[in-house]
Amino acid sequence: MQNFVFHNPTKILFGKGTISGIGPETTVFSNKVLLVSGSGSIKKNGLHRQVTESLQNAGADIIEHPGVQSNPLLSHVRAGIKLARTHHCQVVCAVGGGSVIDEAKAICAGALVDHDVWDFFTGHKSISSALPLTTVLTLAASGSEMNCGMVITNVETSQKFGFADKFLFPRTSILDPEATFSVPADYTAYGAVDAIAHILEFYFTTADPSTPVQDRLMEGLIINAMESCDRVLADLHDYQGRADLMWTATLALNGLTGAGLGRTGFPMHMIEHSLSALYNVPHGAGLSAIIPGWMRHQSVITPGRFAQFAERVFDCRDGSVEERARMGITSLLNWFEKVHSPTSLQALHIPCQDIPRIAENALALAKVWSMSDYDIGRIQAILADC
Ligand code: NZQ
Ligand code: ZN
C-alpha cells in the first residue's frame, strides 16, 4: 500500500426522480447558466424538458450550447467559451455523456483565461480556477461525472489529448439510471468496456506487489460491469441493471480504485485516443480492439498478475501461470465479442498499413503523459498484435 491523498469533492444525487434536483444544485452558484448538451438525444428522450424546467423553476437564465459531438472538438469548446464570456455565465450545467461533460469542463476552465484552452492539454499552461460545473449523466461509461479529467480532440493537429486538474471536479452530478434507458445496445456495451478498461489500466500497471484491498475492489467492479451490462442488453429498460452499470462506471474512475497503488499508467487509453482522433471511433469500441493485444503484450512481462485476474474474474484455475494468464485474456475477449464490441483493428476496418501513422500519433500523447517506457517500436508491436 503506497501513500496517497484521496479527495473527491463531487456530490452525487443517485436514483429515480433525482433530475428535478439539477435546478437548485446549479443556481446555488449563479442563475446565469450555460447549458451544454449533445447532438439531440436529450430532446428525444425528454431530458431536455425536465432539466430546463428544473433550472427555470430555480430562477436560472439559461444560455444553450448544444451540439457537442462524441469525441468532442476543440473548435466547439472555443465556441462555448465565447458564449459563456459574452453572456457572463457563472455556472455550467452539462447534460449528456462523457463527451458533453468533458467539453463542459474545458469551457469551465477556458472561460477564465486569456490564452487558448488547448494550452492546458499540451502542458503549456496550468489551471488556477474554473467555473462551477453541475452535470446530469445520460450514459454510463467515462466516469467524468465524478472525476477531474477531460479529453478533447484538436482536429487541426489530429490530436486527442486528456488532461486532469482538481479544479475540474463537478460540484454536483445527478445520476438517474432512467436517464440511460434510451442508450442503445451498442453504446451500452461500449460504456461497459470503457469502465472495465479504466479498471484494467490501474490493475495491470501498478508496480506495488501487494494491493489486496484495491485488487478485490477492482475485480468486483469488473464482474459487476459485465453482469450488469449483460442484464441491460437483455432488457434496455432494466432499472436495476442500468443502476448497477451506472454506479460501477462512476466508481471505476473516481480515484478510489487507484488510491494506494502508487504510480500507474493509462497505456491502453494512450493508444485508443489515437484511434478516436484519426478515425472518430467510439471510445469503448476503440478500447475493446486495443485491450486484448495490449494484455497479450503485457502478460509476458507480469504473468502472475494476469493469472490472478483470470482466476478471480473468470475462475480459470487450471494450467500453468502462463496458461491461466492467456485464458483470462481470451475470456475477456470472448465477453467483448458476446456484447458485439470489436476485438481487433480489422473489426474497426483500420488497415494494417496505417499502424506507423497511429503509433506516431499515440507517441505524442505518451510524451505529454510522460510514459517514457513506451517508444514507437513498442506501440507498433502492440498495434500489430491488435
Ligand atoms: O450527443 P448525444 O445526442 O447525447 O448522443 C450521444 C452520443 O452519440 C449518445 N447518448 C448519450 N446519452 C444518451 C445517448 N443516446 C441515447 N440516450 C442517452 N441517454 O451516445 C453517444 C456517445 O456519447 P458520448 O458522450 O460520446 O459517450 P461517452 O460517455 O462514452 O463519452 C466518450 C468521451 O469520454 C471521453 C472519451 O475520450 C470520449 O471523448 N473520456 C473521458 C474520460 C474522463 N473525463 O475521465 C475518461 C474516459 O477514458 C474517456 O476517455
Ligand atoms: Zn476511457
Side-chain angles (χ1 to χ4, degrees), residues 223-242:
I223 293 168
N224 278 326
M226 292 191 289
E227 288 180 353
S228 55
C229 182
D230 289 344
R231 252 185 93 144
V232 171
L233 294 182
D235 169 8
L236 294 176
H237 283 213
D238 179 321
Y239 180 83
Q240 181 68 46
R242 287 287 189 188

PDB file of all heavy atoms in Angstrom, residues 223-242:
ATOM      1  N   ILE A 223     -16.437  -7.556 -12.592  1.00  0.00           N
ATOM      2  CA  ILE A 223     -17.514  -8.564 -12.639  1.00  0.00           C
ATOM      3  C   ILE A 223     -18.871  -7.860 -12.692  1.00  0.00           C
ATOM      4  O   ILE A 223     -19.736  -8.191 -13.512  1.00  0.00           O
ATOM      5  CB  ILE A 223     -17.410  -9.508 -11.425  1.00  0.00           C
ATOM      6  CG1 ILE A 223     -16.136 -10.371 -11.522  1.00  0.00           C
ATOM      7  CG2 ILE A 223     -18.655 -10.397 -11.312  1.00  0.00           C
ATOM      8  CD1 ILE A 223     -15.784 -11.117 -10.241  1.00  0.00           C
ATOM      9  N   ASN A 224     -19.034  -6.796 -11.880  1.00  0.00           N
ATOM     10  CA  ASN A 224     -20.305  -6.044 -11.916  1.00  0.00           C
ATOM     11  C   ASN A 224     -20.544  -5.417 -13.282  1.00  0.00           C
ATOM     12  O   ASN A 224     -21.669  -5.403 -13.783  1.00  0.00           O
ATOM     13  CB  ASN A 224     -20.279  -4.921 -10.865  1.00  0.00           C
ATOM     14  CG  ASN A 224     -20.633  -5.432  -9.491  1.00  0.00           C
ATOM     15  OD1 ASN A 224     -21.450  -6.327  -9.360  1.00  0.00           O
ATOM     16  ND2 ASN A 224     -19.994  -4.880  -8.474  1.00  0.00           N
ATOM     17  N   ALA A 225     -19.476  -4.874 -13.874  1.00  0.00           N
ATOM     18  CA  ALA A 225     -19.648  -4.211 -15.185  1.00  0.00           C
ATOM     19  C   ALA A 225     -20.151  -5.222 -16.216  1.00  0.00           C
ATOM     20  O   ALA A 225     -21.100  -4.947 -16.971  1.00  0.00           O
ATOM     21  CB  ALA A 225     -18.322  -3.602 -15.640  1.00  0.00           C
ATOM     22  N   MET A 226     -19.581  -6.419 -16.206  1.00  0.00           N
ATOM     23  CA  MET A 226     -20.006  -7.432 -17.188  1.00  0.00           C
ATOM     24  C   MET A 226     -21.417  -7.931 -16.884  1.00  0.00           C
ATOM     25  O   MET A 226     -22.277  -7.995 -17.776  1.00  0.00           O
ATOM     26  CB  MET A 226     -19.016  -8.603 -17.190  1.00  0.00           C
ATOM     27  CG  MET A 226     -17.631  -8.235 -17.736  1.00  0.00           C
ATOM     28  SD  MET A 226     -16.569  -9.655 -18.031  1.00  0.00           S
ATOM     29  CE  MET A 226     -16.212 -10.159 -16.341  1.00  0.00           C
ATOM     30  N   GLU A 227     -21.679  -8.236 -15.617  1.00  0.00           N
ATOM     31  CA  GLU A 227     -23.002  -8.791 -15.268  1.00  0.00           C
ATOM     32  C   GLU A 227     -24.118  -7.763 -15.488  1.00  0.00           C
ATOM     33  O   GLU A 227     -25.170  -8.087 -16.052  1.00  0.00           O
ATOM     34  CB  GLU A 227     -23.002  -9.279 -13.809  1.00  0.00           C
ATOM     35  CG  GLU A 227     -22.180 -10.555 -13.623  1.00  0.00           C
ATOM     36  CD  GLU A 227     -22.169 -11.043 -12.172  1.00  0.00           C
ATOM     37  OE1 GLU A 227     -22.681 -10.325 -11.283  1.00  0.00           O
ATOM     38  OE2 GLU A 227     -21.613 -12.139 -11.933  1.00  0.00           O
ATOM     39  N   SER A 228     -23.876  -6.520 -15.098  1.00  0.00           N
ATOM     40  CA  SER A 228     -24.948  -5.515 -15.277  1.00  0.00           C
ATOM     41  C   SER A 228     -25.131  -5.183 -16.752  1.00  0.00           C
ATOM     42  O   SER A 228     -26.252  -4.985 -17.222  1.00  0.00           O
ATOM     43  CB  SER A 228     -24.653  -4.244 -14.464  1.00  0.00           C
ATOM     44  OG  SER A 228     -23.387  -3.729 -14.783  1.00  0.00           O
ATOM     45  N   CYS A 229     -24.039  -5.183 -17.520  1.00  0.00           N
ATOM     46  CA  CYS A 229     -24.174  -4.944 -18.964  1.00  0.00           C
ATOM     47  C   CYS A 229     -24.974  -6.067 -19.608  1.00  0.00           C
ATOM     48  O   CYS A 229     -25.890  -5.812 -20.413  1.00  0.00           O
ATOM     49  CB  CYS A 229     -22.792  -4.835 -19.609  1.00  0.00           C
ATOM     50  SG  CYS A 229     -22.845  -4.496 -21.372  1.00  0.00           S
ATOM     51  N   ASP A 230     -24.696  -7.300 -19.217  1.00  0.00           N
ATOM     52  CA  ASP A 230     -25.466  -8.442 -19.765  1.00  0.00           C
ATOM     53  C   ASP A 230     -26.944  -8.273 -19.462  1.00  0.00           C
ATOM     54  O   ASP A 230     -27.813  -8.482 -20.320  1.00  0.00           O
ATOM     55  CB  ASP A 230     -24.965  -9.770 -19.156  1.00  0.00           C
ATOM     56  CG  ASP A 230     -23.574 -10.163 -19.671  1.00  0.00           C
ATOM     57  OD1 ASP A 230     -23.148  -9.590 -20.696  1.00  0.00           O
ATOM     58  OD2 ASP A 230     -22.928 -11.010 -19.033  1.00  0.00           O
ATOM     59  N   ARG A 231     -27.260  -7.815 -18.226  1.00  0.00           N
ATOM     60  CA  ARG A 231     -28.658  -7.636 -17.820  1.00  0.00           C
ATOM     61  C   ARG A 231     -29.333  -6.589 -18.706  1.00  0.00           C
ATOM     62  O   ARG A 231     -30.444  -6.781 -19.205  1.00  0.00           O
ATOM     63  CB  ARG A 231     -28.709  -7.103 -16.376  1.00  0.00           C
ATOM     64  CG  ARG A 231     -29.182  -8.108 -15.349  1.00  0.00           C
ATOM     65  CD  ARG A 231     -29.323  -7.480 -13.994  1.00  0.00           C
ATOM     66  NE  ARG A 231     -30.680  -7.011 -13.788  1.00  0.00           N
ATOM     67  CZ  ARG A 231     -31.266  -7.081 -12.578  1.00  0.00           C
ATOM     68  NH1 ARG A 231     -30.614  -7.556 -11.535  1.00  0.00           N
ATOM     69  NH2 ARG A 231     -32.490  -6.655 -12.418  1.00  0.00           N
ATOM     70  N   VAL A 232     -28.614  -5.489 -18.909  1.00  0.00           N
ATOM     71  CA  VAL A 232     -29.215  -4.382 -19.672  1.00  0.00           C
ATOM     72  C   VAL A 232     -29.381  -4.770 -21.138  1.00  0.00           C
ATOM     73  O   VAL A 232     -30.376  -4.438 -21.778  1.00  0.00           O
ATOM     74  CB  VAL A 232     -28.356  -3.106 -19.536  1.00  0.00           C
ATOM     75  CG1 VAL A 232     -28.841  -2.022 -20.488  1.00  0.00           C
ATOM     76  CG2 VAL A 232     -28.375  -2.604 -18.091  1.00  0.00           C
ATOM     77  N   LEU A 233     -28.418  -5.523 -21.686  1.00  0.00           N
ATOM     78  CA  LEU A 233     -28.556  -5.927 -23.100  1.00  0.00           C
ATOM     79  C   LEU A 233     -29.735  -6.883 -23.273  1.00  0.00           C
ATOM     80  O   LEU A 233     -30.300  -6.988 -24.360  1.00  0.00           O
ATOM     81  CB  LEU A 233     -27.251  -6.550 -23.601  1.00  0.00           C
ATOM     82  CG  LEU A 233     -26.051  -5.584 -23.665  1.00  0.00           C
ATOM     83  CD1 LEU A 233     -24.816  -6.278 -24.218  1.00  0.00           C
ATOM     84  CD2 LEU A 233     -26.366  -4.334 -24.481  1.00  0.00           C
ATOM     85  N   ALA A 234     -30.126  -7.543 -22.170  1.00  0.00           N
ATOM     86  CA  ALA A 234     -31.313  -8.424 -22.239  1.00  0.00           C
ATOM     87  C   ALA A 234     -32.598  -7.599 -22.150  1.00  0.00           C
ATOM     88  O   ALA A 234     -33.636  -7.961 -22.699  1.00  0.00           O
ATOM     89  CB  ALA A 234     -31.257  -9.438 -21.102  1.00  0.00           C
ATOM     90  N   ASP A 235     -32.497  -6.421 -21.470  1.00  0.00           N
ATOM     91  CA  ASP A 235     -33.689  -5.547 -21.369  1.00  0.00           C
ATOM     92  C   ASP A 235     -33.209  -4.125 -21.114  1.00  0.00           C
ATOM     93  O   ASP A 235     -32.807  -3.777 -20.000  1.00  0.00           O
ATOM     94  CB  ASP A 235     -34.592  -6.026 -20.222  1.00  0.00           C
ATOM     95  CG  ASP A 235     -35.692  -4.990 -19.913  1.00  0.00           C
ATOM     96  OD1 ASP A 235     -35.827  -4.006 -20.684  1.00  0.00           O
ATOM     97  OD2 ASP A 235     -36.382  -5.144 -18.883  1.00  0.00           O
ATOM     98  N   LEU A 236     -33.235  -3.284 -22.160  1.00  0.00           N
ATOM     99  CA  LEU A 236     -32.651  -1.932 -22.075  1.00  0.00           C
ATOM    100  C   LEU A 236     -33.307  -1.060 -21.003  1.00  0.00           C
ATOM    101  O   LEU A 236     -32.755  -0.043 -20.602  1.00  0.00           O
ATOM    102  CB  LEU A 236     -32.711  -1.239 -23.445  1.00  0.00           C
ATOM    103  CG  LEU A 236     -31.846  -1.848 -24.551  1.00  0.00           C
ATOM    104  CD1 LEU A 236     -32.075  -1.114 -25.872  1.00  0.00           C
ATOM    105  CD2 LEU A 236     -30.348  -1.810 -24.192  1.00  0.00           C
ATOM    106  N   HIS A 237     -34.517  -1.478 -20.546  1.00  0.00           N
ATOM    107  CA  HIS A 237     -35.206  -0.707 -19.507  1.00  0.00           C
ATOM    108  C   HIS A 237     -35.132  -1.398 -18.149  1.00  0.00           C
ATOM    109  O   HIS A 237     -35.945  -1.139 -17.265  1.00  0.00           O
ATOM    110  CB  HIS A 237     -36.670  -0.474 -19.926  1.00  0.00           C
ATOM    111  CG  HIS A 237     -36.806   0.597 -20.967  1.00  0.00           C
ATOM    112  ND1 HIS A 237     -37.875   1.446 -21.055  1.00  0.00           N
ATOM    113  CD2 HIS A 237     -35.980   0.977 -21.974  1.00  0.00           C
ATOM    114  CE1 HIS A 237     -37.707   2.308 -22.066  1.00  0.00           C
ATOM    115  NE2 HIS A 237     -36.562   2.027 -22.652  1.00  0.00           N
ATOM    116  N   ASP A 238     -34.146  -2.273 -17.961  1.00  0.00           N
ATOM    117  CA  ASP A 238     -33.970  -2.955 -16.666  1.00  0.00           C
ATOM    118  C   ASP A 238     -33.339  -1.969 -15.688  1.00  0.00           C
ATOM    119  O   ASP A 238     -32.136  -1.679 -15.765  1.00  0.00           O
ATOM    120  CB  ASP A 238     -33.064  -4.182 -16.877  1.00  0.00           C
ATOM    121  CG  ASP A 238     -32.807  -4.941 -15.575  1.00  0.00           C
ATOM    122  OD1 ASP A 238     -32.641  -4.286 -14.522  1.00  0.00           O
ATOM    123  OD2 ASP A 238     -32.771  -6.179 -15.623  1.00  0.00           O
ATOM    124  N   TYR A 239     -34.160  -1.432 -14.736  1.00  0.00           N
ATOM    125  CA  TYR A 239     -33.670  -0.346 -13.868  1.00  0.00           C
ATOM    126  C   TYR A 239     -32.482  -0.812 -13.040  1.00  0.00           C
ATOM    127  O   TYR A 239     -31.463  -0.116 -12.942  1.00  0.00           O
ATOM    128  CB  TYR A 239     -34.791   0.159 -12.936  1.00  0.00           C
ATOM    129  CG  TYR A 239     -34.315   1.269 -12.027  1.00  0.00           C
ATOM    130  CD1 TYR A 239     -34.274   2.599 -12.480  1.00  0.00           C
ATOM    131  CD2 TYR A 239     -33.845   1.000 -10.741  1.00  0.00           C
ATOM    132  CE1 TYR A 239     -33.795   3.615 -11.667  1.00  0.00           C
ATOM    133  CE2 TYR A 239     -33.353   2.008  -9.928  1.00  0.00           C
ATOM    134  CZ  TYR A 239     -33.333   3.307 -10.401  1.00  0.00           C
ATOM    135  OH  TYR A 239     -32.834   4.319  -9.597  1.00  0.00           O
ATOM    136  N   GLN A 240     -32.593  -1.996 -12.443  1.00  0.00           N
ATOM    137  CA  GLN A 240     -31.510  -2.496 -11.575  1.00  0.00           C
ATOM    138  C   GLN A 240     -30.209  -2.629 -12.377  1.00  0.00           C
ATOM    139  O   GLN A 240     -29.139  -2.209 -11.931  1.00  0.00           O
ATOM    140  CB  GLN A 240     -31.915  -3.875 -10.996  1.00  0.00           C
ATOM    141  CG  GLN A 240     -30.884  -4.490 -10.045  1.00  0.00           C
ATOM    142  CD  GLN A 240     -30.749  -3.708  -8.748  1.00  0.00           C
ATOM    143  OE1 GLN A 240     -31.741  -3.341  -8.133  1.00  0.00           O
ATOM    144  NE2 GLN A 240     -29.504  -3.400  -8.361  1.00  0.00           N
ATOM    145  N   GLY A 241     -30.329  -3.170 -13.561  1.00  0.00           N
ATOM    146  CA  GLY A 241     -29.125  -3.341 -14.404  1.00  0.00           C
ATOM    147  C   GLY A 241     -28.525  -1.996 -14.763  1.00  0.00           C
ATOM    148  O   GLY A 241     -27.312  -1.776 -14.669  1.00  0.00           O
ATOM    149  N   ARG A 242     -29.382  -1.035 -15.164  1.00  0.00           N
ATOM    150  CA  ARG A 242     -28.891   0.304 -15.512  1.00  0.00           C
ATOM    151  C   ARG A 242     -28.267   0.989 -14.280  1.00  0.00           C
ATOM    152  O   ARG A 242     -27.225   1.642 -14.381  1.00  0.00           O
ATOM    153  CB  ARG A 242     -30.046   1.177 -16.038  1.00  0.00           C
ATOM    154  CG  ARG A 242     -30.538   0.818 -17.435  1.00  0.00           C
ATOM    155  CD  ARG A 242     -29.569   1.228 -18.510  1.00  0.00           C
ATOM    156  NE  ARG A 242     -30.136   1.086 -19.864  1.00  0.00           N
ATOM    157  CZ  ARG A 242     -29.451   1.237 -20.993  1.00  0.00           C
ATOM    158  NH1 ARG A 242     -28.168   1.517 -20.932  1.00  0.00           N
ATOM    159  NH2 ARG A 242     -30.029   1.110 -22.177  1.00  0.00           N
TER     160      ARG A 242
END
